[in-house]
Amino acid sequence: MKEQLLQKYIEKITKEDIKKFSNSNSISLCDEEIDILYMELKKNWKVFLYGNPTPIFRELKTKLSPTTYEKGVELFYTMKQKYQAFL
């Protein structure tokens, strides 16, 4: 049931949502980075939540600015730990 709710939520996420979330966490993204993160989220959300995202992070490291990458990975693990009980 939780997975279905999460899937419906992910389906509704927009690029603007990603931009707002990143800005609210002091991460500035260029349009290209927003596109990259949007596509990865839509394609790999189950891996991010339930699997091992390390290979995805390795690939993202080559596509994002170093600052964006570092802040993004840190934010991911902070949020995952915070909300783990709900997953």
Side-chain angles (χ1 to χ4, degrees):
M1 177 71 165
K2 290 179 192 179
E3 190 172 317
Q4 292 170 339
L5 291 172
L6 288 168
Q7 182 175 359
K8 292 292 183 191
Y9 181 77
I10 296 294
E11 288 172 1
K12 293 181 180 183
I13 288 178
T14 65
K15 291 179 183 180
E16 187 62 29
D17 294 327
I18 291 172
K19 184 177 181 177
K20 287 178 185 176
F21 181 76
S22 67
N23 287 339
S24 71
N25 286 282
S26 302
I27 301 173
S28 297
L29 300 175
C30 68
D31 290 341
E32 182 181 350
E33 289 174 322
I34 292 170
D35 291 342
I36 290 166
L37 293 172
Y38 176 81
M39 294 306 297
E40 287 298 330
L41 176 64
K42 295 288 186 166
K43 184 171 69 173
N44 293 309
W45 69 271
K46 287 183 183 180
V47 176
F48 285 117
L49 293 181
Y50 304 118
N52 178 8
T54 302
I56 299 168
F57 286 142
R58 271 191 235 121
E59 183 180 337
L60 287 173
K61 190 172 188 175
T62 67
K63 296 178 179 180
L64 303 173
S65 74
T67 303
T68 297
Y69 174 79
E70 293 298 326
K71 286 182 177 182
V73 170
E74 181 181 336
L75 179 61
F76 169 80
Y77 284 112
T78 299
M79 291 295 170
K80 187 162 182 180
Q81 183 178 18
K82 182 176 181 178
Y83 294 106
Q84 188 66 44
F86 302 104
L87 303 173

